[in-house]
Amino acid sequence: MSLKVYLSGEIHSDWRAEIIAGAEGLNIEFSSPVTDHGASDDCGVAIMGAETDKFWHDHKGAKLNAIRTRKAISEADVVVVRFGEKYRQWNAAFDAGFAAALGKSLVVMHGADHQHALKEVDAAALAVTETPQQVIEILRYVLTGSLPK
Amino acid sequence: MSLKVYLSGEIHSDWRAEIIAGAEGLNIEFSSPVTDHGASDDCGVAIMGAETDKFWHDHKGAKLNAIRTRKAISEADVVVVRFGEKYRQWNAAFDAGFAAALGKSLVVMHGADHQHALKEVDAAALAVTETPQQVIEILRYVLTGSLPK
Amino acid sequence: MSLKVYLSGEIHSDWRAEIIAGAEGLNIEFSSPVTDHGASDDCGVAIMGAETDKFWHDHKGAKLNAIRTRKAISEADVVVVRFGEKYRQWNAAFDAGFAAALGKSLVVMHGADHQHALKEVDAAALAVTETPQQVIEILRYVLTGSLPK
Amino acid sequence: MSLKVYLSGEIHSDWRAEIIAGAEGLNIEFSSPVTDHGASDDCGVAIMGAETDKFWHDHKGAKLNAIRTRKAISEADVVVVRFGEKYRQWNAAFDAGFAAALGKSLVVMHGADHQHALKEVDAAALAVTETPQQVIEILRYVLTGSLPK
Amino acid sequence: MSLKVYLSGEIHSDWRAEIIAGAEGLNIEFSSPVTDHGASDDCGVAIMGAETDKFWHDHKGAKLNAIRTRKAISEADVVVVRFGEKYRQWNAAFDAGFAAALGKSLVVMHGADHQHALKEVDAAALAVTETPQQVIEILRYVLTGSLPK
Amino acid sequence: MSLKVYLSGEIHSDWRAEIIAGAEGLNIEFSSPVTDHGASDDCGVAIMGAETDKFWHDHKGAKLNAIRTRKAISEADVVVVRFGEKYRQWNAAFDAGFAAALGKSLVVMHGADHQHALKEVDAAALAVTETPQQVIEILRYVLTGSLPK
Amino acid sequence: MSLKVYLSGEIHSDWRAEIIAGAEGLNIEFSSPVTDHGASDDCGVAIMGAETDKFWHDHKGAKLNAIRTRKAISEADVVVVRFGEKYRQWNAAFDAGFAAALGKSLVVMHGADHQHALKEVDAAALAVTETPQQVIEILRYVLTGSLPK
Amino acid sequence: MSLKVYLSGEIHSDWRAEIIAGAEGLNIEFSSPVTDHGASDDCGVAIMGAETDKFWHDHKGAKLNAIRTRKAISEADVVVVRFGEKYRQWNAAFDAGFAAALGKSLVVMHGADHQHALKEVDAAALAVTETPQQVIEILRYVLTGSLPK
């Protein structure tokens, strides 16, 4: 058994690297959005030409990023969505809804302070976690049946 | 031609009533989530029994509300999602992602200040608006081909 | 808004009649399997000819009943599955799995003594109840937003 | 030609090992649920924290196990479901219904005493067997066209 | 409950009229292919112009008829396929395969002499019958739960 | 039997009106894109605000029109696509491809001079016609089995 | 580019071997039903026990064979269906209908004498051929763009 | 991460070779239609026999080519459609519509002079480009997150 896991959401901490390192040795193929904030914001105009209007500047970039994220979510078995402490992170919630509608196994990660605001997202998830370590343990259990000591 | 339109998102202003009133005479069946905030929060425990843990209190309610929202979104032709000025509104973004994955026509409504934070949601939409009046004009145009004078 | 609700499971108590009566006035179309135990067991051979082998006797009947149950489940918005006190009721659990795979909103009804044995079924449900009254209240809330007093 | 085969149901006998051993040399990738009863029951709380209420204890575990079982069933060509002599085994019947709705080839295994109670499940199957040896012979025939001597 | 039933196959006897008459009073919407043999053969060239090559003459007609048959099968709950005594009736078997792949409830009707040749079609059916009267009884049972006296 | 028919393509002749008039008395629900050329071009900016860049002017309008056309094509049983003598009409070919991928019955209408250039589109169609009269005769035959005298 | 090709239909001539040999060097994975007539007829009872009634003897076998054929058709890019000179070959037409409903590319092979009887099947095909050599040339052209000299 | 990219449209310039060369080193599997114009036009009659009527000559060829193009589009993650300066290129627009309906990521390439005529196609795209170099940069960004210097 192998898993494809998409890591969606917060891009300002190293939670992805932590999970990928902790899952070493497991048969998992990870994917992520482009996590270079500047590249992600400006990719559309950098390649297809500048826009004077910020809306279209962002629009071109967001659509270009969608080529990557939609493929990765569509192919994933498990979609992990992390909500950090800062920013509105509507794209994380959007990814969670997208993944839920496709019937993907959704794992959500967030702090206790966001519990009430994320209740609809949590209700669609098969696991609600707080730390990368818990996600690692989930992935290990799903693939091997082994629980943490 | 007729339309089924689901009105998702903000529940603390009267935008739904404004759209429904403005669309009078058009062949549209509107649906909405339960917009009574208290009922929506407590429905699970009110019917199926109290929980000591807030997480499960919310969980029971969120799942119960999902019976209504998933049916309404799945049957809709157009999903209008409004992001208001307050709160994190992750369930609105979740609904938008859910609708997008099902191939629904997405119409987003938000103020200019949220433009950058909502760029991924806007990129998945067929129309981005700021006011209920614009949504009414869109629905009228889609059904009748008539533009505002 | 209207709902199509399929009532699956136990056929030896009057829970279906109780729910249908309690939901009077709501915009719901209910469907059920054939609940005449004898007819349900013998329908295949009664119409298509006797079998000497009990396995094929049952097989012909079960397939004939499947014409009705698959249509009803496939068209339902909500599938309510009740597990009673007696019998193994594997067909109820089969219906629950079938409904879950089709993305139907699943409502399960059973007593507390069956909680552990039904945990996988409950985990796929949007509501877990014990009484017909709770199901009625759920259907009323989903359609009208009104909670019991 | 190769096959993906999911082995669902009873976890208290060695039928899975018997089939896997007997199918040696055939191009089959087998998968199974976690068959360590204790791990399967407690995985949710072991990783995501204890629950005081048994219902939620079980709920967290059942959802976690669903990440594995849904992936395995969704990818399988053949789903073998064994009903043993003991316990209610509603999760086995749930898996059978889930597999049937996804159009998987269903092979059921049970003793003659359960024939009547399992008639709806059998009616959805492409083969009804009693022993692991028969399942092995089916898999060999499907892949190679060879029948037992 | 209501049913949509498509009556496929033999067009040289009055079995369709017999079923429709016998099902009077049941909530069923029947559909059929065009059963005027001459019109069915020549419809393509009659409307879109003559062909010198018999293959294309037939091709234009068969595609035109497909507009009707594919819609009717796609919308049907039950597809009844009758194999008569004469002709090769490959289109009947084609319809049966088409219906099976769409997950329709298949009811097959044929004489005992065709049993072996139709075993793959029968294996995909939920009921195998010999007479229109049996089909009527099946439809009545599915809709009302009543068996013939 | 009834049909939903979407009339796609050329907007500079009265072929739609001709078909709708000729099909009077048949159980058909017709739909069309907005055929007011000016409204169709400018709808986006008229409702959601002007754009300085022609690309985005057109983009807003084309997306708005897509709300109507995608709904109409998705619900249609038959999609008629007419290629006229003038303009490039790439949106007609786009609609044809969209309809083909959804498995809709495609009827194409064009003059003999476009035969070679449209061969891929014709190859996906169930009928290739030259005149509105032929389309009317096809719709009448599909619904009633009657051929023109 | 590679292709998966399922070879359905007649089992009493060596057309499959001829195609497979002629396609040597092309990136194609071929699959077929079990072509040992005796094994195919008796597989059900040989593995799962004898039946006194010929109908159920055949039924058990046909269902067992369906495990193989449905997987192979579902995974195929191209389904080649050959109708020979003898027998009714309803299973071949059934496979063609099944493949057509799944959107597979259908290639039919038959002699000119069967042209009229197979017109509905041919109308669903992307190529109608008479000889294995033509099928080989089609497969080579599809994969390499090379035509026969 | 890897990508499957289908290159649709104009066959009279070397844009495909330019993209494939520029994307060297990226994990991409490219596919294309048969770009030998003569072979593409005549493949049907070359293999399956001559036609006297040009319509059927083209029809046989177009269907044969559809075996290749439908497989390639259905498997692609990204469909790039180039509209050149000459010809009507309806098959390019047809491919774009087909890809859009399947939810593929669409990248369109055309000169500024075609902007208005292609607005509906552009509106369905995730990126609109003018040069092969831009497509290369898009593919590199999607796979690696790197932008051009």
Side-chain angles (χ1 to χ4, degrees), chain F residues 3-122:
Chain F
L3 285 177
K4 294 195 174 188
V5 178
Y6 181 69
L7 302 170
S8 170
E10 193 204 12
I11 61 171
H12 299 93
S13 74
D14 63 350
W15 67 278
R16 283 184 183 82
E18 198 175 335
I19 288 175
I20 293 171
E24 213 190 313
L26 296 173
N27 194 352
I28 300 177
E29 186 180 324
F30 288 100
S31 62
S32 308
V34 171
T35 55
D36 174 335
H37 198 152
S40 172
D41 269 10
D42 298 332
C43 61
V45 297
I47 295 175
M48 288 174 283
E51 294 291 332
T52 52
D53 186 333
K54 184 62 160 54
F55 181 86
W56 298 117
H57 177 112
D58 282 349
H59 195 73
K60 278 166 109 165
K63 281 191 160 176
L64 196 41
N65 285 315
I67 298 178
R68 178 181 176 113
T69 55
R70 302 243 170 133
K71 173 181 162 67
I73 293 178
S74 300
E75 288 189 346
D77 301 304
V78 177
V79 174
V80 180
V81 185
R82 173 174 167 94
F83 293 85
E85 294 309 303
K86 295 188 293 188
Y87 306 106
R88 290 185 175 265
Q89 307 176 81
W90 281 319
N91 59 333
F94 181 86
D95 281 359
F98 200 91
L102 297 182
K104 303 297 174 182
S105 288
L106 190 63
V107 175
V108 184
M109 195 191 328
H110 61 77
D113 47 330
H114 286 162
Q115 180 268 319
H116 185 67
L118 281 167
K119 65 184 195 293
E120 287 87 2
V121 179
D122 288 353

Side-chain angles (χ1 to χ4, degrees), chain G residues 117-134:
Chain G
L118 281 167
K119 66 185 197 291
E120 287 86 2
V121 179
D122 288 353
L126 288 179
V128 179
T129 64
E130 297 201 21
T131 66
Q133 186 58 31
Q134 287 176 317

